[in-house]
Amino acid sequence: MHYSSTAVVLAALSAVAASEKTCLNQTVPVTISARNGNFSLAAPTNNIDAAAFVQNLSRQGQNYSSAVLNGYNTVSGTYNISTQFCYDNARSGVNVPLQILTHGIGFDKTYWDLPYNNYNYSYVNAALAAGYSTLSYDRLGIGNSSHGDAVNEIQSFLEVAALRALTTQLRSGSFPGVAQKFSKIIHAGHSFGSIQSYTFANLYPDETDGLVLTGFSLNATYNAFFLAGGNFQLASLNAPLRFGSAAAGDVQKLQLASAYLQALDLDVDVGLLSSDGAAATPQDLPAGYLVTGDASANQYNFFLPGFFDAGLLAQSERTKMPVTVGELLTLGSVSPVNAFKGPVLVITGSGDLPFCGGDCLTTGTKYPSIPATVALSFPNVAPENFTAYIQPNAGHGLNAHYNATGAYRYVSEWLKDRGLGA
Ligand SMILES: *[C@@H]1O[C@H](CO)[C@@H](O)[C@H](O)[C@H]1NC(C)=O
Ligand SMILES: *[C@@H]1O[C@H](CO)[C@@H](O)[C@H](O)[C@H]1NC(C)=O
Ligand SMILES: *[C@@H]1O[C@H](CO)[C@@H](O)[C@H](O)[C@H]1NC(C)=O
Ligand SMILES: *[C@@H]1O[C@H](CO)[C@@H](O)[C@H](O)[C@H]1NC(C)=O
Ligand SMILES: *[C@@H]1O[C@H](CO)[C@@H](O)[C@H](O)[C@H]1NC(C)=O
Ligand SMILES: *[C@@H]1O[C@H](CO)[C@@H](O)[C@H](O)[C@H]1NC(C)=O
Ligand SMILES: *[C@@H]1O[C@H](CO)[C@@H](O)[C@H](O)[C@H]1NC(C)=O
Ligand SMILES: *[C@@H]1O[C@H](CO)[C@@H](O)[C@H](O)[C@H]1NC(C)=O
Ligand SMILES: *[C@@H]1O[C@H](CO)[C@@H](O)[C@H](O)[C@H]1NC(C)=O
Ligand SMILES: *[C@@H]1O[C@H](CO)[C@@H](O)[C@H](O)[C@H]1NC(C)=O
């Protein structure tokens, strides 16, 4: 086990302490298994194939996932998951509810605890202030968690198995370094992280107490906008200092070129020339790991003009994370009916692109919003325990908009009203 912070062991009953955020960063092994799709597809190794893959996946009139599906494989293994457990010193130990936070495509666990502007966009800080502890983690395959084969290994259901393993550890008190058994666990997700939280709740309805699905709907009509708008390229070619091979000479040359161009103040692609993470070894990601092409593609998919800080877009571009072709092929594998019986909040930005086509409130149907139809998928949830809320003045990357803390307040109050508060 690798601890990237000094090990902090929580006392079962802490003395009265001043309110203070404390986080434990660690890599946690999980032994998991899932039924994955066996796709007959060579992982893209260059940008022609990366674009061709997206062209195939977004073509109207066909289901490309289904066209290349050639049966199923059981994939099993022990994988490392990079986690961050945060708690408020003043509350540790006393039956604190927990939120498990699953990020979406393009981000890692820092999406929930954005350091930008002295953490004033931090979902984690808001959750701690509302009385929760949090566990955020890099999804399997992404960030500092184990990477893997981009076609047949890193797929949605194996990632859901990792989410389940972490949840089980936290419920049973076996999560390393945290001497506590959580009996009230809320699963909150963003985008693909919401899809995985939704799937987890359907497969194991007794293992979660509530769902907060942010940046989400079940309407797949606008997925193609996201795929096309992303201008996806091979991660190792688009941002070689972060995702390319570790060939020392190449990295050094790129760093020098980057510093030179930045010194000239040229309008260069920050994703390509980012020095963020350049001090660490580049991840040398295999074929089939893709990233959004540039800051404009990132903006199109995640940010609503007028309601975000350009500096935060630039920061998101510098720290952008990849998606595997296996994830893109399986993100639509969602059960239309969910077995979960407890409280479900869907909260989506009014201008969400992938799940609402840029406008959640223009439906042309009897429903007040596109996310409102998610209610139809939860036949076992009492009407008073389901809400589809449209956060005004926000795009898909809810946490990265000016009024993110307004959305966090809504979430905390909603949970409290349903008996899921601290
Ligand atoms: C934990 O990791 C985050 C980045 O994810 C970093 O900002 C923070 O300083 C780390 N905390 C500790 C205690 O190492
Ligand atoms: C997966 O599909 C390939 C063909 O693309 C096939 O050769 C292989 O046997 C399949 N694997 C399993 C476990 O079915
Ligand atoms: C795209 O689809 C075509 C025809 O279905 C196939 O020949 C090609 O290999 C696919 N390319 C990628 C990168 O998925
Ligand atoms: C997990 O991390 C440990 C320590 O960093 C390392 O020794 C081990 O090989 C890793 N396991 C996997 C599956 O990556
Ligand atoms: C963070 O602070 C900046 C600058 O004060 C402000 O413009 C922005 O609205 C704040 N964002 C959040 C989420 O509180
Ligand atoms: C990932 O690991 C690198 C190198 O140790 C570190 O600089 C970075 O903060 C980590 N990021 C996250 C999100 O854990
Ligand atoms: C496409 O096919 C896959 C695999 O058969 C299935 O899980 C998915 O629901 C289908 N997607 C759509 C939009 O029909
Ligand atoms: C709503 O959810 C709460 C918390 O799980 C539960 O106690 C309550 O019974 C639910 N209400 C109904 C009408 O099912
Ligand atoms: C998706 O939303 C659009 C706009 O409201 C609507 O026309 C379409 O019927 C919806 N599709 C599904 C499958 O609900
Ligand atoms: C901020 O968000 C809250 C919660 O959704 C909402 O009530 C408020 O109107 C929003 N403010 C602005 C300026 O969008």
Side-chain angles (χ1 to χ4, degrees), residues 36-44 52-58 62-72 105 149-157 159 192 195-196 223 226-227 288 290 323-334:
N36 270 13
N38 180 21
F39 295 111
S40 314
L41 178 83
F53 170 76
V54 174
Q55 286 173 291
N56 281 347
L57 194 57
S58 61
Q62 64 151 17
N63 180 337
Y64 187 62
S65 298
S66 163
V68 291
L69 183 65
N70 179 35
Y72 294 89
I105 291 171
D149 179 83
V151 178
N152 284 331
E153 188 176 20
I154 305 303
Q155 295 181 5
S156 190
F157 285 90
E159 294 176 43
F192 192 28
I195 291 177
Q196 293 185 12
N223 277 358
F226 178 83
L227 291 169
L290 311 181
V323 58
T324 69
V325 294
E327 291 182 313
L328 291 172
L329 287 165
T330 55
L331 65 73
S333 301
V334 171

Side-chain angles (χ1 to χ4, degrees), residues 1 3 7-11 24 26 85 87 173-180:
M1 179 125 338
Y3 291 93
V8 180
V9 179
L10 299 191
L24 173 59
Q26 56 185 333
F85 177 81
Y87 64 99
S174 62
F175 188 84
V178 179
Q180 202 174 337

Side-chain angles (χ1 to χ4, degrees), residues 119-166:
Y119 290 91
N120 77 338
Y121 290 84
S122 171
Y123 183 100
V124 167
N125 284 7
L128 261 51
Y132 298 89
S133 293
T134 60
L135 188 277
S136 49
Y137 67 101
D138 293 345
R139 289 195 336 260
L140 175 61
I142 307 302
N144 290 342
S145 291
S146 298
H147 305 142
D149 179 83
V151 178
N152 284 331
E153 188 176 20
I154 305 303
Q155 295 181 5
S156 190
F157 285 90
L158 191 63
E159 294 176 43
V160 170
L163 169 58
R164 185 189 190 203
L166 294 173

